[in-house]
Amino acid sequence: MAVSAIFVGLYIPLNLVIDLGEYPIFVILYSIASVIFIADVFVEIFRFKRHVRSNNPFEPKATAGKFLPWFAVDMVAALPFMIFFPGSPFQLLKLFKLIKVGRFMHQISQQEVRLSQFLTISFFFFWLVHIAHWISCGWLGISNLNADFDISTTYVRALYWTVTTLTTVGYGDILPQTNVQMIYAMFVQLIGFAAFGYLIGDVVTLLSKKDPSTRQYLRNIESLSGALQIRDINKDLQKRILNYYNYLRKEKVGYDESYFLDGLPTTLKTEAELELKKNFIVGIPLFQNASIDFISRVAIKLELVIITPGEILMRQDDTGNEMYFIISGMLDVVRNGNPIFLLKEGDFFGEMSLVANKPRTATVKARSFCNLYRLERKTFEQIVSDFPEIIEQIKEKAKSRGMPPD
Ligand code: CMP
């Protein structure tokens, strides 16, 4: 139906201004399209009946009020104009069918969010092609056709005029001569100007929508420059903030995933969260052989933390309320001012004060950008009671690192 509507949308206006009689293929295609339009009326009646009968509570019953306007469009489009009014502008009524195609595309883009960018572009081209074609037909309608040119050359020249005018290139080799043509040309220039603005706006939106980390990055940079205008932030801090945003963008981490998770029902949210964390969790040796139960109850509570080089995550002798797992990056363990160990991807730290309930035994400082997962004391205590085998492994590690005896 969509293909037929597109064909008819191109064929009818052209056939009104140029006699396409010498191309019988068009007449055949037009007849096929007309038959499809008639068949579509029956399909719509069938769909309406099924809708009314349906007892699906999630699908509100179709009301005649909603259905009738579109049914009228289908009926008008299905009228066999070719037989009753050959060559009359009434045929243009069939073009209403295109609105239905546009509406159909819009509905798909709402259901298939994945395809929405592709559909937005298709939608744009769909109307661009039609509008350029209709303008060309209009131009042919107000021009005296030159008998020296055959049909295809005549059409190509009209399309060429349209495109050069719409894009404001205007070579000026085909010029409006009569008043009507001049007014028409001004009208087309204005359409081109508006469409160009719309296109630029749309492309920018599409590009920035493309990837959530880029979108977040642009938003961050915007708020940073806003803050800089009203507050005096020192150059070094500015550089570090900018570095941090660049890191988030490069690693595609840190953008707020929670906004899409927040609205989900609990089970779906858990499943989505697990899926997001799964790749990181399998990189932590401690969790590699953990049960599904553990993963779904504990791993889900891990919170992503990103830190910048030089940042101190915990200080010796402070009270410890959380431990960390390293997804990427390196951190120095410093005791009494001396570096004693370099922690790397897959390691965990901060466990000693949780296990022994004592102050931090060392200071931990980031050497590079690090992606970490934080485990709060409350969750740690839950593991102690429910998953003793995991705690045993953590205790073993703490002992090997010289955890002070109880
Ligand atoms: P915690 O004492 O809670 O805080 C400092 C952390 O540094 C400590 O837990 C360990 O995770 C880590 N740490 C302390 N000493 C060593 C060591 N010798 N080797 C590796 N890591 C250590």
Side-chain angles (χ1 to χ4, degrees), residues 19-241:
D19 181 14
L20 293 172
E22 60 183 86
Y23 296 102
I25 178 75
F26 284 139
V27 179
I28 295 171
L29 289 175
Y30 180 68
S31 312
I32 294 175
S34 304
V35 171
I36 291 175
F37 281 9
I38 293 169
D40 191 45
V41 171
F42 290 101
V43 170
E44 282 302 314
I45 293 174
F46 174 74
R47 263 166 36 113
F48 179 67
K49 276 188 163 175
R50 202 186 52 184
H51 225 21
V52 170
R53 263 188 271 118
S54 117
N55 287 321
N56 185 346
F58 296 109
E59 220 177 297
K61 283 194 175 174
T63 53
K66 259 188 179 174
F67 176 80
L68 272 178
W70 291 105
F71 188 66
V73 168
D74 288 336
M75 287 295 282
V76 170
L79 289 176
F81 293 97
M82 202 163 60
I83 302 170
F84 298 122
F85 318 99
S88 92
F90 276 128
Q91 292 183 69
L92 289 172
L93 289 172
K94 268 195 186 319
L95 265 52
F96 275 123
K97 200 82 172 172
L98 280 173
I99 301 174
K100 199 177 165 189
V101 177
R103 190 168 161 262
F104 176 64
M105 280 163 77
H106 180 68
Q107 274 171 1
I108 296 182
S109 74
Q110 283 187 332
Q111 283 162 12
E112 300 286 327
V113 182
R114 268 172 319 113
L115 295 177
S116 73
Q117 284 186 15
F118 167 75
L119 286 169
T120 309
I121 296 172
S122 315
F123 201 63
F124 182 78
F125 278 101
F126 171 80
W127 287 116
L128 186 73
V129 167
H130 279 93
I131 289 171
H133 174 79
W134 292 336
I135 292 173
S136 308
C137 294
W139 178 251
L140 290 173
I142 56 170
S143 309
N144 291 324
L145 300 186
N146 189 331
D148 296 342
F149 299 126
D150 61 12
I151 289 180
S152 43
T153 313
T154 306
Y155 176 71
V156 169
R157 281 173 61 85
L159 193 60
Y160 167 80
W161 176 85
T162 306
V163 174
T164 48
T165 310
L166 271 181
T167 54
T168 71
V169 171
Y171 285 125
D173 46 352
I174 302 176
L175 291 168
Q177 259 130 21
T178 63
N179 284 353
V180 174
Q181 284 181 337
M182 278 186 212
I183 291 167
Y184 189 73
M186 286 190 282
F187 172 70
V188 175
Q189 281 155 3
L190 288 176
I191 294 183
F193 185 64
F196 187 64
Y198 174 78
L199 178 68
I200 296 289
D202 227 38
V203 168
V204 170
T205 324
L206 279 179
L207 281 182
S208 56
K209 262 193 212 164
K210 205 151 191 76
D211 135 27
S213 59
T214 309
R215 196 171 46 190
Q216 177 84 17
Y217 175 77
L218 295 174
R219 212 180 302 143
N220 287 340
I221 295 293
E222 201 181 335
S223 38
L224 174 66
S225 60
L228 290 180
Q229 272 171 16
I230 42 176
R231 285 183 198 281
D232 194 19
I233 298 179
N234 84 52
K235 284 265 177 296
D236 181 54
L237 185 57
Q238 279 183 34
K239 211 172 114 197
R240 278 169 46 209
I241 296 176

Side-chain angles (χ1 to χ4, degrees), residues 314 333 335 340-341 343 348-354 359-364 401:
M314 51 186 67
V333 180
R335 189 174 291 154
I340 52 166
F341 194 77
L343 294 160
F348 55 83
F349 61 94
E351 80 293 355
M352 287 189 183
S353 43
L354 295 189
R360 297 284 190 206
T361 56
T363 295
V364 179
R401 287 172 170 174

